[in-house]
Amino acid sequence: MTWNTLEDETELLPQNGSYQTWKATIETPKVAVKTSHGALLLANIVHLPAILISSTLLYLSFATTYGVDYSNPYSKTILNGLQFVSKFHEITITTSLTAIVLHRIHYSLMKQSGVPLGFLASAYQLGAFNYLVSAEFWGAATAKFRYKFSTWLPLWLLIAVSSVLASIVGPSSAILMIPRLDWWQLNNPLNHTSISTFLPLGTSEIWPDVIGPNLLNSPWVSPESEGCAADQAYKDHACPSAGFQDIATWAANYMSRATAPNITLNDPIGSVIRYMSSSATNETLGWAVSSIPGLRQARDMGTFTQYLSHVTLKVAKLARPMLIPSYASLSTMKKPIVQAQCSLFKNNDSNIAFRHDMLRGLSSELTGNSPWLIPGSIDITAPSNDVMDFHWVDMAPYTNKTPLLGGVFVSTTPDGLTGIFPCTILSHWTPVSIWLDPKIDSTVRQDSPEPLQILLARVNNKTNISISPSILQPIEISVPWAETINLPNYYHNNPSLYPSQQLTLLEFSAANLGYLHANDSWRLDPAGGEKALPWLLSTILSMHVADGLSRVNSGFPTVLYQRDGTNDSTGVLKNLDVVHIGEWVGMPRNSGHLGESYAREARGENSTHNTEIVWEVKRFGYGWGFENGISIIVGVLVLLMHICMVIVHLGIVAFGGWGVSSCWGSVGELLTLAWRSTGPADGKLGNTSAGIQKMKTWGEVVRVRATDTQGDTRKLELTCWQGGRVASDGDGVKGDDGIKMVEAGVRYS
């Protein structure tokens, strides 16, 4: 039988037709430690894919990068594909960690310190929880108490950290890799155009502390006009009584269906809907809290959206934009929040007074005062129109500590007696964030829709002494302004329901809680009976006042300034309320291009008369950033920790002077080394061929030494520490056991 001899091996292969088995497999000697630049680069290129992907993910998160719109037809395909990329990223990081741990093990094996037996295969078990809790790991980790290893980083710590990172790098990569569906900031939404909007009011005038009759009419209304005091003023959306019909409709619906005290008010100019909410509190306490976003701010969002739809701007092309307004010189938007507390007394009761014990935000000095009896000028014997009387009351004579407003309802209760309902009203401006999601609907959204939650969150208790104006800004409401909410001479068209043809607005709203009985006597008799009356009247009253306050300054037009070409001194000034039809209200139509003075006003340089509106635009889609909180931060820290480990590792490799080893990169190669070793001659590791039971055994220190140094070939073997001290690593050719150490650039068989 003839044999073929391979050129570089002595391995013998049988020719065709022969059944001869393998006889020998012998490879050429190899260099165990390499120090060339090429070897260093090749050995560490394994870290490159992980570092590149991690750096990209970190950049995307830190830069808050937008990906694709939620409506993109390929969004699901992209998300699914990124899951595969995330898995690949996990594999590359695990491979990188394995290379770092292997390098450290190889270094210790070939130097004097050696490696505890339990750490020998640790690099191949990174991420395995059972290894970290095994006797193999802890037996090796506790070997430090028996041997003094001189190293700046304990090997057990490197293995533990690397194993934990390998376990959590998968979900960390997925969290950072998969973009999140959220709202993302749109940079340069107006395409760098010189467009600005401003309100022709100073910052202190937008939400004033005192609400008086001077706020009823804007400069654009004729002085001869009765304005918001006219009989039909509730049809003017800029007047305080404009929400009357919606509130009265709710009262009628509650009478028939006990609907919740939450209504929507439509603004036809801005084409937006505002949500008014009134918290349902304890009915027996007669306390209600109502709140609604300001009409001026809500309308501006609607009209500005209409403007954007008529010009070619980036924001108009978004699949789902969000407009968030703010005033340049103010920290927050505000809205009114109104509390009302009404109490029920009968005409035969004594000491009929205004209660205020449930109102939040009052000075503590008010809570201990004597009862605030209603003025004697109010007729409480019976309603003058046989249905309902309402009277505003100036509360200044009762207290100068907190601005309050009072009101008194007089009507007939279900038992046929005259009911007197004194009501105390406390109003504040409270911070709010509002926005518009125009591609979904025209509802003005807000971050604090429930007014009761606002009070409970911002006032510690009902007698809180110090309330910061930045949280709750008290409002002083004058009776003349309040009278425009309760306009007289409202002629209803339902004589079968009410015996009188004429009621004021507030009287009509409250009268919807009653009806004519069979004996033609009119009585308040809502769902819930008499005990619900104080709360229902408080709700109606707080709704009317809150809606009126929300319309303060809504008669002032928001002005839009658009630069004329590249000349910043001239431009077109438009009333944003009618910009969709290209008109300007209150100025000559031929004003067109304006001079430098108007341009300066429009740019808000005269800050005492103008307040610029800053438009923040967000878009709904998939992106990367820190919006989702702690999980993102944890993922970033995991990737940063791995990157730091790689940087330190590369520094050690580049400047440590030892080089790199390509040996024993797999379990198979490590087994081959152990197979070719002669084993300890002093009986160490005895009786372990069938397994290891003692944790102490895993702490036995093993090293790699050149045991056969005769001739041109040298052999490497695993050896056990033979006793004596474990010396510090040095450059000596021999170890403390007298056996020749592994040398760089030398070939071993």
Side-chain angles (χ1 to χ4, degrees):
M1 180 179 294
T2 59
W3 299 86
N4 293 332
T5 303
L6 300 180
E7 182 177 352
D8 296 330
E9 300 179 0
T10 59
E11 177 184 359
L12 300 180
L13 299 178
Q15 292 190 8
N16 293 338
S18 172
Y19 294 97
Q20 181 68 40
T21 59
W22 295 87
K23 288 187 176 181
T25 301
I26 303 175
E27 298 189 9
T28 58
K30 303 172 185 64
V31 176
V33 180
K34 302 176 182 179
T35 57
S36 66
H37 295 296
L40 296 177
L41 179 63
L42 185 62
N44 289 285
I45 201 171
V46 67
H47 305 291
L48 184 61
I51 295 299
L52 289 177
I53 299 176
S54 295
S55 300
T56 301
L57 292 180
L58 292 175
Y59 170 79
L60 292 174
S61 295
F62 279 104
T64 311
T65 309
Y66 184 76
V68 296
D69 289 336
Y70 81 104
S71 59
N72 189 301
Y74 301 104
S75 59
K76 290 185 178 180
T77 302
I78 294 172
L79 294 177
N80 293 335
L82 288 177
Q83 295 187 52
F84 289 99
V85 179
S86 176
K87 184 61 180 178
F88 174 74
H89 185 215
E90 177 188 0
I91 294 173
T92 60
I93 293 182
T94 304
T95 303
S96 172
L97 292 171
T98 301
I100 293 174
V101 175
L102 275 176
H103 178 270
R104 173 63 187 278
I105 291 176
H106 292 167
Y107 175 84
S108 298
L109 278 173
M110 299 182 192
K111 292 298 180 179
Q112 296 215 34
S113 59
V115 176
L117 181 62
F119 289 158
L120 203 57
S122 60
Y124 316 118
Q125 304 180 72
L126 296 183
F129 178 76
N130 60 332
Y131 172 70
L132 288 181
V133 298
S134 66
E136 181 179 359
F137 174 81
W138 288 103
T142 55
K144 64 181 179 179
F145 298 111
R146 290 180 286 147
Y147 308 101
K148 295 182 179 179
F149 297 101
S150 58
T151 175
W152 66 276
L153 177 66
L155 181 56
W156 69 267
L157 182 59
L158 175 64
I159 294 172
V161 171
S162 299
S163 187
V164 171
L165 284 180
S167 301
I168 63 177
V169 72
S172 299
S173 173
I175 290 172
L176 296 180
M177 180 78 67
I178 308 301
R180 290 161 298 289
L181 186 62
D182 207 337
W183 291 101
W184 303 91
Q185 188 76 35
L186 176 65
N187 297 322
N188 305 317
L190 303 182
N191 296 2
H192 300 283
T193 58
S194 182
I195 296 175
S196 61
T197 53
F198 65 94
L199 189 63
L201 290 170
T203 55
S204 61
E205 300 173 295
I206 300 177
W207 297 291
D209 295 332
V210 179
I211 308 297
N214 60 306
L215 297 176
L216 293 175
N217 298 323
S218 71
W220 315 101
V221 178
S222 170
E224 292 78 19
S225 171
E226 292 186 64
C228 293
D231 287 349
Q232 302 295 312
Y234 62 86
K235 297 180 180 179
D236 185 344
H237 289 269
C239 291
S241 58
F244 149 70
Q245 290 179 314
D246 296 289
I247 299 172
T249 300
W250 168 79
N253 289 335
Y254 183 87
M255 186 66 181
S256 59
R257 296 190 295 271
T259 54
N262 300 301
I263 62 177
T264 56
L265 291 88
N266 179 53
D267 175 42
I269 296 178
S271 298
V272 292
I273 296 174
R274 295 181 301 142
Y275 175 75
M276 176 189 285
S277 59
S278 184
S279 298
T281 59
N282 191 327
E283 294 182 358
T284 61
L285 298 177
W287 176 52
V289 190
S290 298
S291 184
I292 183 173
L295 174 61
R296 179 71 271 164
Q297 293 75 36
R299 179 178 292 174
D300 288 344
M301 289 191 291
T303 53
F304 192 64
T305 299
Q306 296 174 34
Y307 170 77
L308 294 177
S309 65
H310 285 78
V311 295
T312 305
L313 294 174
K314 178 194 287 187
V315 64
K317 301 177 182 179
L318 298 179
R320 187 179 173 186
M322 176 197 291
L323 271 70
I324 308 173
S326 62
Y327 291 124
S329 52
L330 296 174
S331 59
T332 180
M333 290 286 187
K334 295 183 180 181
K335 69 173 183 177
I337 179 169
V338 178
Q339 304 175 67
Q341 182 178 355
C342 296
S343 306
L344 170 58
F345 296 88
K346 300 298 177 68
N347 57 352
N348 55 2
D349 290 336
S350 59
N351 295 329
I352 301 176
F354 295 96
R355 293 183 59 187
H356 52 273
D357 55 299
M358 289 301 300
L359 301 180
R360 265 61 171 178
L362 285 177
S363 171
S364 60
E365 298 179 25
L366 298 179
T367 59
N369 288 355
S370 58
W372 297 346
L373 301 180
I374 66 172
S377 59
I378 298 178
D379 183 8
I380 61 173
T381 56
S384 59
N385 53 20
D386 298 328
V387 177
M388 177 77 64
D389 280 346
F390 179 80
H391 310 273
W392 290 112
V393 178
D394 184 4
M395 301 297 286
Y398 297 94
T399 176
N400 57 3
K401 301 295 183 181
T402 304
L404 298 171
L405 181 65
V408 178
F409 288 98
V410 180
S411 188
T412 306
T413 54
D415 56 9
L417 299 176
T418 299
I420 301 96
F421 301 87
C423 302
T424 310
I425 304 166
L426 177 61
S427 305
H428 293 90
W429 298 115
T430 185
V432 66
S433 295
I434 57 175
W435 64 91
L436 192 66
D437 191 357
K439 294 298 179 69
I440 299 300
D441 55 39
S442 57
T443 302
V444 175
R445 289 170 168 80
Q446 50 185 318
D447 62 347
S448 55
E450 295 301 328
L452 184 59
Q453 295 179 4
I454 299 174
L455 289 177
L456 295 179
R458 298 176 180 173
V459 182
N460 294 330
N461 52 63
K462 64 184 179 182
T463 60
N464 188 279
I465 298 176
S466 58
I467 299 176
S468 171
S470 63
I471 297 178
L472 288 177
Q473 174 187 343
I475 306 173
E476 181 181 344
I477 301 176
S478 68
V479 172
W481 181 89
E483 290 289 0
T484 61
I485 297 178
N486 189 36
L487 295 175
N489 304 324
Y490 179 71
Y491 294 92
H492 60 81
N493 56 6
N494 194 349
S496 62
L497 185 60
Y498 310 108
S500 173
Q501 296 295 309
Q502 182 175 324
L503 296 170
T504 66
L505 300 188
L506 277 172
E507 290 168 358
F508 180 81
S509 294
N512 280 288
L513 300 174
Y515 59 91
L516 279 172
H517 283 230
N519 58 358
D520 291 336
S521 63
W522 190 92
R523 300 179 184 180
L524 280 174
D525 195 5
E530 182 177 290
K531 70 175 184 178
L533 283 173
W535 168 71
L536 288 170
L537 294 177
S538 297
T539 300
I540 290 175
L541 195 55
S542 64
M543 280 185 169
H544 273 284
V545 176
D547 178 68
L549 291 173
S550 73
R551 299 175 189 273
V552 168
N553 290 323
S554 59
F556 285 84
T558 295
V559 180
L560 182 141
Y561 168 75
Q562 185 170 358
R563 186 177 63 183
D564 181 19
T566 58
N567 186 358
D568 197 43
S569 64
T570 62
V572 177
L573 204 62
K574 297 180 179 181
N575 181 353
L576 191 59
D577 288 358
V578 291
V579 72
H580 55 289
I581 59 176
E583 294 182 356
W584 166 253
V585 175
M587 293 186 65
R589 293 195 180 192
N590 60 359
S591 61
H593 296 276
L594 307 175
E596 172 62 23
S597 61
Y598 278 116
R600 188 182 301 112
E601 289 278 336
R603 292 194 299 270
E605 295 177 10
N606 189 350
S607 58
T608 60
H609 295 93
N610 299 289
T611 302
E612 184 178 0
I613 303 175
V614 178
W615 294 101
E616 180 184 3
V617 179
K618 293 186 177 183
R619 51 184 170 180
F620 192 64
Y622 296 94
W624 296 268
F626 287 91
E627 283 75 8
N628 284 357
I630 191 169
S631 60
I632 305 296
I633 297 176
V634 171
V636 167
L637 292 177
V638 169
L639 296 192
L640 286 176
M641 183 175 292
H642 168 252
I643 291 175
C644 291
M645 290 179 64
V646 172
I647 293 174
V648 172
H649 168 72
L650 294 178
I652 292 174
V653 171
F655 304 105
W658 181 69
V660 294
S661 173
S662 59
C663 304
W664 319 303
S666 67
V667 177
E669 289 185 337
L670 190 62
L671 288 174
T672 302
L673 172 66
W675 193 359
R676 297 207 62 200
S677 301
T678 57
D682 57 355
K684 285 194 174 185
L685 303 182
N687 302 321
T688 58
S689 61
I692 298 176
Q693 291 182 340
K694 293 183 178 181
M695 190 171 68
K696 182 178 179 180
T697 304
W698 291 111
E700 292 292 340
V701 176
V702 295
R703 291 176 285 189
V704 174
R705 293 292 183 264
T707 58
D708 184 1
T709 59
Q710 301 298 322
D712 295 332
T713 60
R714 300 176 182 179
K715 177 184 176 184
L716 297 179
E717 291 188 13
L718 274 176
T719 63
C720 285
W721 182 66
Q722 301 298 320
R725 68 180 183 87
V726 177
S728 301
D729 295 333
D731 296 327
V733 177
K734 292 187 178 182
D736 58 341
D737 49 10
I739 305 176
K740 197 172 185 62
M741 298 172 62
V742 181
E743 299 179 64
V746 177
R747 291 181 177 271
Y748 295 94
S749 61

